[in-house]
Amino acid sequence: MQLFRFAHPDFLYLLLLLPVLTLLFIINMIRKKKALKRLGDTNLVNGLVPELSGIRPIIKYILQLGAVLAGIIMLARPQFGSKIEDVKKQGVEVIIALDVSNSMLAEDIQPDRLTRAKQAISRLVDDLDNDKIGLIVFAGDAYIQIPITTDYISAKMFLSAINPNTVPKQGTEIGSAINLGVRSFSPGEGKSKAMIIITDGENHEDDPLKEAEEASKAGVVIHTIGIGSTNGVPIPLINNGKRDYLKDKDGNIVVTKLDEDILKKIALSTNGNYVRANNSNIGLDEIYAQIKKMKKQDLESTMYTEYNDQFQIFTAIAIFLLIIDFLIMERRNRRLANIRLFKYKI
């Protein structure tokens, strides 16, 4: 459901011009001050040319910048929803649990495990139609990043910001992610619920098989994607601006490798599938093809079907600011300076 939207959001990229215009204005003001200094003493020059004003050009620029901003928003056509409809859609609820531990920075999958996984999830979101999607991130604990939703735009926005710093505690607790995922689905019996876990499988803290069995009892099908090399690779880090590798307490380089065995067991215990990721294919497409075969359920959603344009407001603002800018002169007017609206006698 979108209460507010832009009909042509691509025009908003023009907002990048505003800091450029501001920088050019500042440079121009500095050049003018330097030119006045070359003429002689600043106080003397100001006395010879009393019409010069330091504040008026700034006021005019602010007005012009405001007019440009209003004009860009006008071009993007802001709209508010005016008519609400309850639309019934059929689909499946899918929760993706993404490992964001430091081991996901390993580069055996290019450019690294986490980046490739995020790219694959982003493409999957682009292909979604009626299905609901949620996103959980986990390392030493699990956290809901995106609740179950059909707002795919927001999902991609939150997805792009994910990195190992998203979670405060490092480690790998797949069981915690499964437990949170099961509790994050919409309540109700007989619903199709699928979970996709993307990880290197190096679980150190909990018992994911026990949680997977509980998920199976709740009717959740878990698919797993193993990402990484079974041979083991170091984990790159940036320390003080220099590239280094993660080390243990004894100073030895930590090596991370894919644990396929645990991921296969998790998928098998819930009648799901296990896929091994590689540089050319993460495996989400294959798993989603299996998910689409699940029984569809009614997903009621409220949406706006009619929108009213609001660009007229910004058009009026832009015109108003330009009129004021036109009336304000860069130099003081000697005749107007002699006008006194109020006279006081002391």
Side-chain angles (χ1 to χ4, degrees), residues 3-25:
L3 173 63
F4 176 81
R5 73 176 187 182
F6 287 102
H8 304 299
D10 291 344
F11 280 108
L12 295 177
Y13 286 112
L14 293 174
L15 293 173
L16 296 174
L17 292 173
L18 300 185
V20 177
L21 293 174
T22 301
L23 179 61
L24 293 174
F25 174 76

mmCIF file with all atom_site columns, all heavy atoms in Angstrom, residues 3-25:
data_model
loop_
_atom_site.group_PDB
_atom_site.id
_atom_site.type_symbol
_atom_site.label_atom_id
_atom_site.label_alt_id
_atom_site.label_comp_id
_atom_site.label_asym_id
_atom_site.label_entity_id
_atom_site.label_seq_id
_atom_site.pdbx_PDB_ins_code
_atom_site.Cartn_x
_atom_site.Cartn_y
_atom_site.Cartn_z
_atom_site.occupancy
_atom_site.B_iso_or_equiv
_atom_site.pdbx_formal_charge
_atom_site.auth_seq_id
_atom_site.auth_comp_id
_atom_site.auth_asym_id
_atom_site.auth_atom_id
_atom_site.pdbx_PDB_model_num
ATOM 1   N N   . LEU A 1 3  ? 0.589  5.249  0.153   1.00 0.00 ? 3  LEU A N   1
ATOM 2   C CA  . LEU A 1 3  ? -0.219 6.452  0.310   1.00 0.00 ? 3  LEU A CA  1
ATOM 3   C C   . LEU A 1 3  ? 0.338  7.579  -0.552  1.00 0.00 ? 3  LEU A C   1
ATOM 4   O O   . LEU A 1 3  ? -0.412 8.378  -1.106  1.00 0.00 ? 3  LEU A O   1
ATOM 5   C CB  . LEU A 1 3  ? -0.243 6.867  1.779   1.00 0.00 ? 3  LEU A CB  1
ATOM 6   C CG  . LEU A 1 3  ? -0.910 8.208  2.109   1.00 0.00 ? 3  LEU A CG  1
ATOM 7   C CD1 . LEU A 1 3  ? -2.384 8.152  1.738   1.00 0.00 ? 3  LEU A CD1 1
ATOM 8   C CD2 . LEU A 1 3  ? -0.747 8.534  3.583   1.00 0.00 ? 3  LEU A CD2 1
ATOM 9   N N   . PHE A 1 4  ? 1.647  7.627  -0.671  1.00 0.00 ? 4  PHE A N   1
ATOM 10  C CA  . PHE A 1 4  ? 2.300  8.692  -1.426  1.00 0.00 ? 4  PHE A CA  1
ATOM 11  C C   . PHE A 1 4  ? 3.299  8.081  -2.405  1.00 0.00 ? 4  PHE A C   1
ATOM 12  O O   . PHE A 1 4  ? 3.952  7.087  -2.098  1.00 0.00 ? 4  PHE A O   1
ATOM 13  C CB  . PHE A 1 4  ? 3.039  9.633  -0.466  1.00 0.00 ? 4  PHE A CB  1
ATOM 14  C CG  . PHE A 1 4  ? 3.824  10.715 -1.161  1.00 0.00 ? 4  PHE A CG  1
ATOM 15  C CD1 . PHE A 1 4  ? 3.200  11.854 -1.621  1.00 0.00 ? 4  PHE A CD1 1
ATOM 16  C CD2 . PHE A 1 4  ? 5.190  10.570 -1.364  1.00 0.00 ? 4  PHE A CD2 1
ATOM 17  C CE1 . PHE A 1 4  ? 3.923  12.844 -2.263  1.00 0.00 ? 4  PHE A CE1 1
ATOM 18  C CE2 . PHE A 1 4  ? 5.921  11.549 -2.005  1.00 0.00 ? 4  PHE A CE2 1
ATOM 19  C CZ  . PHE A 1 4  ? 5.284  12.692 -2.455  1.00 0.00 ? 4  PHE A CZ  1
ATOM 20  N N   . ARG A 1 5  ? 3.402  8.673  -3.579  1.00 0.00 ? 5  ARG A N   1
ATOM 21  C CA  . ARG A 1 5  ? 4.370  8.186  -4.560  1.00 0.00 ? 5  ARG A CA  1
ATOM 22  C C   . ARG A 1 5  ? 4.710  9.299  -5.539  1.00 0.00 ? 5  ARG A C   1
ATOM 23  O O   . ARG A 1 5  ? 4.042  10.341 -5.593  1.00 0.00 ? 5  ARG A O   1
ATOM 24  C CB  . ARG A 1 5  ? 3.809  6.993  -5.323  1.00 0.00 ? 5  ARG A CB  1
ATOM 25  C CG  . ARG A 1 5  ? 2.724  7.360  -6.331  1.00 0.00 ? 5  ARG A CG  1
ATOM 26  C CD  . ARG A 1 5  ? 2.249  6.172  -7.152  1.00 0.00 ? 5  ARG A CD  1
ATOM 27  N NE  . ARG A 1 5  ? 1.346  6.575  -8.217  1.00 0.00 ? 5  ARG A NE  1
ATOM 28  C CZ  . ARG A 1 5  ? 0.756  5.733  -9.047  1.00 0.00 ? 5  ARG A CZ  1
ATOM 29  N NH1 . ARG A 1 5  ? 0.957  4.414  -8.909  1.00 0.00 ? 5  ARG A NH1 1
ATOM 30  N NH2 . ARG A 1 5  ? -0.040 6.171  -10.009 1.00 0.00 ? 5  ARG A NH2 1
ATOM 31  N N   . PHE A 1 6  ? 5.754  9.082  -6.313  1.00 0.00 ? 6  PHE A N   1
ATOM 32  C CA  . PHE A 1 6  ? 6.113  9.967  -7.421  1.00 0.00 ? 6  PHE A CA  1
ATOM 33  C C   . PHE A 1 6  ? 5.808  9.239  -8.724  1.00 0.00 ? 6  PHE A C   1
ATOM 34  O O   . PHE A 1 6  ? 6.234  8.088  -8.916  1.00 0.00 ? 6  PHE A O   1
ATOM 35  C CB  . PHE A 1 6  ? 7.595  10.342 -7.367  1.00 0.00 ? 6  PHE A CB  1
ATOM 36  C CG  . PHE A 1 6  ? 7.944  11.312 -6.272  1.00 0.00 ? 6  PHE A CG  1
ATOM 37  C CD1 . PHE A 1 6  ? 8.542  10.878 -5.107  1.00 0.00 ? 6  PHE A CD1 1
ATOM 38  C CD2 . PHE A 1 6  ? 7.674  12.659 -6.413  1.00 0.00 ? 6  PHE A CD2 1
ATOM 39  C CE1 . PHE A 1 6  ? 8.867  11.758 -4.092  1.00 0.00 ? 6  PHE A CE1 1
ATOM 40  C CE2 . PHE A 1 6  ? 7.993  13.562 -5.401  1.00 0.00 ? 6  PHE A CE2 1
ATOM 41  C CZ  . PHE A 1 6  ? 8.585  13.112 -4.243  1.00 0.00 ? 6  PHE A CZ  1
ATOM 42  N N   . ALA A 1 7  ? 5.081  9.905  -9.619  1.00 0.00 ? 7  ALA A N   1
ATOM 43  C CA  . ALA A 1 7  ? 4.744  9.278  -10.899 1.00 0.00 ? 7  ALA A CA  1
ATOM 44  C C   . ALA A 1 7  ? 5.985  9.112  -11.761 1.00 0.00 ? 7  ALA A C   1
ATOM 45  O O   . ALA A 1 7  ? 6.110  8.144  -12.513 1.00 0.00 ? 7  ALA A O   1
ATOM 46  C CB  . ALA A 1 7  ? 3.692  10.107 -11.638 1.00 0.00 ? 7  ALA A CB  1
ATOM 47  N N   . HIS A 1 8  ? 6.920  10.065 -11.672 1.00 0.00 ? 8  HIS A N   1
ATOM 48  C CA  . HIS A 1 8  ? 8.163  10.006 -12.460 1.00 0.00 ? 8  HIS A CA  1
ATOM 49  C C   . HIS A 1 8  ? 9.356  10.201 -11.521 1.00 0.00 ? 8  HIS A C   1
ATOM 50  O O   . HIS A 1 8  ? 9.999  11.257 -11.510 1.00 0.00 ? 8  HIS A O   1
ATOM 51  C CB  . HIS A 1 8  ? 8.162  11.083 -13.545 1.00 0.00 ? 8  HIS A CB  1
ATOM 52  C CG  . HIS A 1 8  ? 6.985  11.025 -14.469 1.00 0.00 ? 8  HIS A CG  1
ATOM 53  N ND1 . HIS A 1 8  ? 6.713  9.932  -15.276 1.00 0.00 ? 8  HIS A ND1 1
ATOM 54  C CD2 . HIS A 1 8  ? 5.975  11.916 -14.708 1.00 0.00 ? 8  HIS A CD2 1
ATOM 55  C CE1 . HIS A 1 8  ? 5.612  10.157 -15.971 1.00 0.00 ? 8  HIS A CE1 1
ATOM 56  N NE2 . HIS A 1 8  ? 5.146  11.352 -15.648 1.00 0.00 ? 8  HIS A NE2 1
ATOM 57  N N   . PRO A 1 9  ? 9.683  9.190  -10.709 1.00 0.00 ? 9  PRO A N   1
ATOM 58  C CA  . PRO A 1 9  ? 10.747 9.344  -9.703  1.00 0.00 ? 9  PRO A CA  1
ATOM 59  C C   . PRO A 1 9  ? 12.137 9.568  -10.297 1.00 0.00 ? 9  PRO A C   1
ATOM 60  O O   . PRO A 1 9  ? 13.027 10.056 -9.598  1.00 0.00 ? 9  PRO A O   1
ATOM 61  C CB  . PRO A 1 9  ? 10.682 8.027  -8.924  1.00 0.00 ? 9  PRO A CB  1
ATOM 62  C CG  . PRO A 1 9  ? 10.040 7.051  -9.860  1.00 0.00 ? 9  PRO A CG  1
ATOM 63  C CD  . PRO A 1 9  ? 9.084  7.853  -10.678 1.00 0.00 ? 9  PRO A CD  1
ATOM 64  N N   . ASP A 1 10 ? 12.346 9.220  -11.572 1.00 0.00 ? 10 ASP A N   1
ATOM 65  C CA  . ASP A 1 10 ? 13.667 9.402  -12.191 1.00 0.00 ? 10 ASP A CA  1
ATOM 66  C C   . ASP A 1 10 ? 14.103 10.868 -12.189 1.00 0.00 ? 10 ASP A C   1
ATOM 67  O O   . ASP A 1 10 ? 15.306 11.165 -12.152 1.00 0.00 ? 10 ASP A O   1
ATOM 68  C CB  . ASP A 1 10 ? 13.665 8.874  -13.628 1.00 0.00 ? 10 ASP A CB  1
ATOM 69  C CG  . ASP A 1 10 ? 13.552 7.356  -13.672 1.00 0.00 ? 10 ASP A CG  1
ATOM 70  O OD1 . ASP A 1 10 ? 13.774 6.729  -12.615 1.00 0.00 ? 10 ASP A OD1 1
ATOM 71  O OD2 . ASP A 1 10 ? 13.256 6.806  -14.738 1.00 0.00 ? 10 ASP A OD2 1
ATOM 72  N N   . PHE A 1 11 ? 13.134 11.784 -12.211 1.00 0.00 ? 11 PHE A N   1
ATOM 73  C CA  . PHE A 1 11 ? 13.481 13.210 -12.204 1.00 0.00 ? 11 PHE A CA  1
ATOM 74  C C   . PHE A 1 11 ? 14.144 13.627 -10.888 1.00 0.00 ? 11 PHE A C   1
ATOM 75  O O   . PHE A 1 11 ? 14.808 14.658 -10.831 1.00 0.00 ? 11 PHE A O   1
ATOM 76  C CB  . PHE A 1 11 ? 12.239 14.067 -12.450 1.00 0.00 ? 11 PHE A CB  1
ATOM 77  C CG  . PHE A 1 11 ? 11.838 14.159 -13.901 1.00 0.00 ? 11 PHE A CG  1
ATOM 78  C CD1 . PHE A 1 11 ? 10.709 13.512 -14.362 1.00 0.00 ? 11 PHE A CD1 1
ATOM 79  C CD2 . PHE A 1 11 ? 12.599 14.905 -14.794 1.00 0.00 ? 11 PHE A CD2 1
ATOM 80  C CE1 . PHE A 1 11 ? 10.335 13.587 -15.700 1.00 0.00 ? 11 PHE A CE1 1
ATOM 81  C CE2 . PHE A 1 11 ? 12.233 14.989 -16.126 1.00 0.00 ? 11 PHE A CE2 1
ATOM 82  C CZ  . PHE A 1 11 ? 11.099 14.330 -16.588 1.00 0.00 ? 11 PHE A CZ  1
ATOM 83  N N   . LEU A 1 12 ? 13.960 12.842 -9.833  1.00 0.00 ? 12 LEU A N   1
ATOM 84  C CA  . LEU A 1 12 ? 14.554 13.185 -8.540  1.00 0.00 ? 12 LEU A CA  1
ATOM 85  C C   . LEU A 1 12 ? 16.076 13.123 -8.564  1.00 0.00 ? 12 LEU A C   1
ATOM 86  O O   . LEU A 1 12 ? 16.746 13.682 -7.695  1.00 0.00 ? 12 LEU A O   1
ATOM 87  C CB  . LEU A 1 12 ? 14.014 12.252 -7.447  1.00 0.00 ? 12 LEU A CB  1
ATOM 88  C CG  . LEU A 1 12 ? 12.513 12.387 -7.149  1.00 0.00 ? 12 LEU A CG  1
ATOM 89  C CD1 . LEU A 1 12 ? 12.084 11.364 -6.116  1.00 0.00 ? 12 LEU A CD1 1
ATOM 90  C CD2 . LEU A 1 12 ? 12.179 13.801 -6.672  1.00 0.00 ? 12 LEU A CD2 1
ATOM 91  N N   . TYR A 1 13 ? 16.637 12.433 -9.561  1.00 0.00 ? 13 TYR A N   1
ATOM 92  C CA  . TYR A 1 13 ? 18.097 12.419 -9.707  1.00 0.00 ? 13 TYR A CA  1
ATOM 93  C C   . TYR A 1 13 ? 18.637 13.822 -9.985  1.00 0.00 ? 13 TYR A C   1
ATOM 94  O O   . TYR A 1 13 ? 19.816 14.101 -9.749  1.00 0.00 ? 13 TYR A O   1
ATOM 95  C CB  . TYR A 1 13 ? 18.521 11.468 -10.833 1.00 0.00 ? 13 TYR A CB  1
ATOM 96  C CG  . TYR A 1 13 ? 18.401 10.003 -10.467 1.00 0.00 ? 13 TYR A CG  1
ATOM 97  C CD1 . TYR A 1 13 ? 17.464 9.185  -11.082 1.00 0.00 ? 13 TYR A CD1 1
ATOM 98  C CD2 . TYR A 1 13 ? 19.226 9.440  -9.500  1.00 0.00 ? 13 TYR A CD2 1
ATOM 99  C CE1 . TYR A 1 13 ? 17.344 7.841  -10.744 1.00 0.00 ? 13 TYR A CE1 1
ATOM 100 C CE2 . TYR A 1 13 ? 19.123 8.102  -9.154  1.00 0.00 ? 13 TYR A CE2 1
ATOM 101 C CZ  . TYR A 1 13 ? 18.187 7.303  -9.786  1.00 0.00 ? 13 TYR A CZ  1
ATOM 102 O OH  . TYR A 1 13 ? 18.072 5.985  -9.445  1.00 0.00 ? 13 TYR A OH  1
ATOM 103 N N   . LEU A 1 14 ? 17.774 14.706 -10.475 1.00 0.00 ? 14 LEU A N   1
ATOM 104 C CA  . LEU A 1 14 ? 18.215 16.088 -10.725 1.00 0.00 ? 14 LEU A CA  1
ATOM 105 C C   . LEU A 1 14 ? 18.550 16.811 -9.425  1.00 0.00 ? 14 LEU A C   1
ATOM 106 O O   . LEU A 1 14 ? 19.215 17.858 -9.459  1.00 0.00 ? 14 LEU A O   1
ATOM 107 C CB  . LEU A 1 14 ? 17.107 16.848 -11.467 1.00 0.00 ? 14 LEU A CB  1
ATOM 108 C CG  . LEU A 1 14 ? 16.805 16.393 -12.902 1.00 0.00 ? 14 LEU A CG  1
ATOM 109 C CD1 . LEU A 1 14 ? 15.599 17.137 -13.449 1.00 0.00 ? 14 LEU A CD1 1
ATOM 110 C CD2 . LEU A 1 14 ? 18.017 16.628 -13.799 1.00 0.00 ? 14 LEU A CD2 1
ATOM 111 N N   . LEU A 1 15 ? 18.107 16.272 -8.287  1.00 0.00 ? 15 LEU A N   1
ATOM 112 C CA  . LEU A 1 15 ? 18.447 16.882 -6.999  1.00 0.00 ? 15 LEU A CA  1
ATOM 113 C C   . LEU A 1 15 ? 19.953 16.886 -6.760  1.00 0.00 ? 15 LEU A C   1
ATOM 114 O O   . LEU A 1 15 ? 20.463 17.678 -5.961  1.00 0.00 ? 15 LEU A O   1
ATOM 115 C CB  . LEU A 1 15 ? 17.749 16.133 -5.863  1.00 0.00 ? 15 LEU A CB  1
ATOM 116 C CG  . LEU A 1 15 ? 16.213 16.235 -5.821  1.00 0.00 ? 15 LEU A CG  1
ATOM 117 C CD1 . LEU A 1 15 ? 15.655 15.315 -4.753  1.00 0.00 ? 15 LEU A CD1 1
ATOM 118 C CD2 . LEU A 1 15 ? 15.774 17.675 -5.564  1.00 0.00 ? 15 LEU A CD2 1
ATOM 119 N N   . LEU A 1 16 ? 20.663 16.008 -7.459  1.00 0.00 ? 16 LEU A N   1
ATOM 120 C CA  . LEU A 1 16 ? 22.130 15.973 -7.332  1.00 0.00 ? 16 LEU A CA  1
ATOM 121 C C   . LEU A 1 16 ? 22.760 17.260 -7.853  1.00 0.00 ? 16 LEU A C   1
ATOM 122 O O   . LEU A 1 16 ? 23.924 17.557 -7.532  1.00 0.00 ? 16 LEU A O   1
ATOM 123 C CB  . LEU A 1 16 ? 22.678 14.765 -8.096  1.00 0.00 ? 16 LEU A CB  1
ATOM 124 C CG  . LEU A 1 16 ? 22.246 13.386 -7.567  1.00 0.00 ? 16 LEU A CG  1
ATOM 125 C CD1 . LEU A 1 16 ? 22.737 12.291 -8.495  1.00 0.00 ? 16 LEU A CD1 1
ATOM 126 C CD2 . LEU A 1 16 ? 22.777 13.166 -6.159  1.00 0.00 ? 16 LEU A CD2 1
ATOM 127 N N   . LEU A 1 17 ? 22.009 18.014 -8.653  1.00 0.00 ? 17 LEU A N   1
ATOM 128 C CA  . LEU A 1 17 ? 22.534 19.281 -9.168  1.00 0.00 ? 17 LEU A CA  1
ATOM 129 C C   . LEU A 1 17 ? 22.616 20.349 -8.084  1.00 0.00 ? 17 LEU A C   1
ATOM 130 O O   . LEU A 1 17 ? 23.416 21.290 -8.200  1.00 0.00 ? 17 LEU A O   1
ATOM 131 C CB  . LEU A 1 17 ? 21.647 19.792 -10.310 1.00 0.00 ? 17 LEU A CB  1
ATOM 132 C CG  . LEU A 1 17 ? 21.651 18.988 -11.612 1.00 0.00 ? 17 LEU A CG  1
ATOM 133 C CD1 . LEU A 1 17 ? 20.596 19.545 -12.557 1.00 0.00 ? 17 LEU A CD1 1
ATOM 134 C CD2 . LEU A 1 17 ? 23.033 19.047 -12.265 1.00 0.00 ? 17 LEU A CD2 1
ATOM 135 N N   . LEU A 1 18 ? 21.791 20.257 -7.045  1.00 0.00 ? 18 LEU A N   1
ATOM 136 C CA  . LEU A 1 18 ? 21.723 21.313 -6.031  1.00 0.00 ? 18 LEU A CA  1
ATOM 137 C C   . LEU A 1 18 ? 23.050 21.539 -5.315  1.00 0.00 ? 18 LEU A C   1
ATOM 138 O O   . LEU A 1 18 ? 23.489 22.687 -5.199  1.00 0.00 ? 18 LEU A O   1
ATOM 139 C CB  . LEU A 1 18 ? 20.609 21.000 -5.029  1.00 0.00 ? 18 LEU A CB  1
ATOM 140 C CG  . LEU A 1 18 ? 19.189 20.884 -5.622  1.00 0.00 ? 18 LEU A CG  1
ATOM 141 C CD1 . LEU A 1 18 ? 18.163 20.705 -4.506  1.00 0.00 ? 18 LEU A CD1 1
ATOM 142 C CD2 . LEU A 1 18 ? 18.845 22.096 -6.469  1.00 0.00 ? 18 LEU A CD2 1
ATOM 143 N N   . PRO A 1 19 ? 23.736 20.496 -4.827  1.00 0.00 ? 19 PRO A N   1
ATOM 144 C CA  . PRO A 1 19 ? 25.039 20.767 -4.202  1.00 0.00 ? 19 PRO A CA  1
ATOM 145 C C   . PRO A 1 19 ? 26.067 21.296 -5.188  1.00 0.00 ? 19 PRO A C   1
ATOM 146 O O   . PRO A 1 19 ? 26.942 22.090 -4.816  1.00 0.00 ? 19 PRO A O   1
ATOM 147 C CB  . PRO A 1 19 ? 25.451 19.402 -3.633  1.00 0.00 ? 19 PRO A CB  1
ATOM 148 C CG  . PRO A 1 19 ? 24.608 18.396 -4.326  1.00 0.00 ? 19 PRO A CG  1
ATOM 149 C CD  . PRO A 1 19 ? 23.337 19.092 -4.668  1.00 0.00 ? 19 PRO A CD  1
ATOM 150 N N   . VAL A 1 20 ? 25.960 20.887 -6.463  1.00 0.00 ? 20 VAL A N   1
ATOM 151 C CA  . VAL A 1 20 ? 26.892 21.393 -7.480  1.00 0.00 ? 20 VAL A CA  1
ATOM 152 C C   . VAL A 1 20 ? 26.667 22.888 -7.703  1.00 0.00 ? 20 VAL A C   1
ATOM 153 O O   . VAL A 1 20 ? 27.619 23.684 -7.761  1.00 0.00 ? 20 VAL A O   1
ATOM 154 C CB  . VAL A 1 20 ? 26.715 20.617 -8.812  1.00 0.00 ? 20 VAL A CB  1
ATOM 155 C CG1 . VAL A 1 20 ? 27.628 21.202 -9.896  1.00 0.00 ? 20 VAL A CG1 1
ATOM 156 C CG2 . VAL A 1 20 ? 27.013 19.139 -8.606  1.00 0.00 ? 20 VAL A CG2 1
ATOM 157 N N   . LEU A 1 21 ? 25.402 23.284 -7.808  1.00 0.00 ? 21 LEU A N   1
ATOM 158 C CA  . LEU A 1 21 ? 25.073 24.702 -7.993  1.00 0.00 ? 21 LEU A CA  1
ATOM 159 C C   . LEU A 1 21 ? 25.513 25.524 -6.783  1.00 0.00 ? 21 LEU A C   1
ATOM 160 O O   . LEU A 1 21 ? 26.013 26.653 -6.933  1.00 0.00 ? 21 LEU A O   1
ATOM 161 C CB  . LEU A 1 21 ? 23.567 24.860 -8.217  1.00 0.00 ? 21 LEU A CB  1
ATOM 162 C CG  . LEU A 1 21 ? 23.007 24.266 -9.514  1.00 0.00 ? 21 LEU A CG  1
ATOM 163 C CD1 . LEU A 1 21 ? 21.488 24.363 -9.530  1.00 0.00 ? 21 LEU A CD1 1
ATOM 164 C CD2 . LEU A 1 21 ? 23.590 24.976 -10.733 1.00 0.00 ? 21 LEU A CD2 1
ATOM 165 N N   . THR A 1 22 ? 25.341 24.967 -5.593  1.00 0.00 ? 22 THR A N   1
ATOM 166 C CA  . THR A 1 22 ? 25.758 25.671 -4.371  1.00 0.00 ? 22 THR A CA  1
ATOM 167 C C   . THR A 1 22 ? 27.264 25.871 -4.352  1.00 0.00 ? 22 THR A C   1
ATOM 168 O O   . THR A 1 22 ? 27.759 26.946 -3.987  1.00 0.00 ? 22 THR A O   1
ATOM 169 C CB  . THR A 1 22 ? 25.317 24.880 -3.126  1.00 0.00 ? 22 THR A CB  1
ATOM 170 O OG1 . THR A 1 22 ? 23.891 24.723 -3.154  1.00 0.00 ? 22 THR A OG1 1
ATOM 171 C CG2 . THR A 1 22 ? 25.723 25.594 -1.849  1.00 0.00 ? 22 THR A CG2 1
ATOM 172 N N   . LEU A 1 23 ? 28.003 24.836 -4.746  1.00 0.00 ? 23 LEU A N   1
ATOM 173 C CA  . LEU A 1 23 ? 29.468 24.941 -4.794  1.00 0.00 ? 23 LEU A CA  1
ATOM 174 C C   . LEU A 1 23 ? 29.905 26.009 -5.791  1.00 0.00 ? 23 LEU A C   1
ATOM 175 O O   . LEU A 1 23 ? 30.806 26.825 -5.498  1.00 0.00 ? 23 LEU A O   1
ATOM 176 C CB  . LEU A 1 23 ? 30.066 23.582 -5.170  1.00 0.00 ? 23 LEU A CB  1
ATOM 177 C CG  . LEU A 1 23 ? 31.593 23.527 -5.274  1.00 0.00 ? 23 LEU A CG  1
ATOM 178 C CD1 . LEU A 1 23 ? 32.234 23.869 -3.931  1.00 0.00 ? 23 LEU A CD1 1
ATOM 179 C CD2 . LEU A 1 23 ? 32.052 22.156 -5.752  1.00 0.00 ? 23 LEU A CD2 1
ATOM 180 N N   . LEU A 1 24 ? 29.267 26.051 -6.956  1.00 0.00 ? 24 LEU A N   1
ATOM 181 C CA  . LEU A 1 24 ? 29.610 27.060 -7.960  1.00 0.00 ? 24 LEU A CA  1
ATOM 182 C C   . LEU A 1 24 ? 29.301 28.468 -7.456  1.00 0.00 ? 24 LEU A C   1
ATOM 183 O O   . LEU A 1 24 ? 30.058 29.417 -7.709  1.00 0.00 ? 24 LEU A O   1
ATOM 184 C CB  . LEU A 1 24 ? 28.839 26.787 -9.262  1.00 0.00 ? 24 LEU A CB  1
ATOM 185 C CG  . LEU A 1 24 ? 29.229 25.510 -10.023 1.00 0.00 ? 24 LEU A CG  1
ATOM 186 C CD1 . LEU A 1 24 ? 28.294 25.282 -11.204 1.00 0.00 ? 24 LEU A CD1 1
ATOM 187 C CD2 . LEU A 1 24 ? 30.679 25.602 -10.506 1.00 0.00 ? 24 LEU A CD2 1
ATOM 188 N N   . PHE A 1 25 ? 28.183 28.605 -6.719  1.00 0.00 ? 25 PHE A N   1
ATOM 189 C CA  . PHE A 1 25 ? 27.822 29.912 -6.171  1.00 0.00 ? 25 PHE A CA  1
ATOM 190 C C   . PHE A 1 25 ? 28.867 30.378 -5.156  1.00 0.00 ? 25 PHE A C   1
ATOM 191 O O   . PHE A 1 25 ? 29.274 31.551 -5.156  1.00 0.00 ? 25 PHE A O   1
ATOM 192 C CB  . PHE A 1 25 ? 26.443 29.832 -5.511  1.00 0.00 ? 25 PHE A CB  1
ATOM 193 C CG  . PHE A 1 25 ? 26.036 31.085 -4.794  1.00 0.00 ? 25 PHE A CG  1
ATOM 194 C CD1 . PHE A 1 25 ? 25.600 32.196 -5.495  1.00 0.00 ? 25 PHE A CD1 1
ATOM 195 C CD2 . PHE A 1 25 ? 26.118 31.165 -3.402  1.00 0.00 ? 25 PHE A CD2 1
ATOM 196 C CE1 . PHE A 1 25 ? 25.233 33.360 -4.837  1.00 0.00 ? 25 PHE A CE1 1
ATOM 197 C CE2 . PHE A 1 25 ? 25.757 32.320 -2.740  1.00 0.00 ? 25 PHE A CE2 1
ATOM 198 C CZ  . PHE A 1 25 ? 25.320 33.420 -3.458  1.00 0.00 ? 25 PHE A CZ  1
#
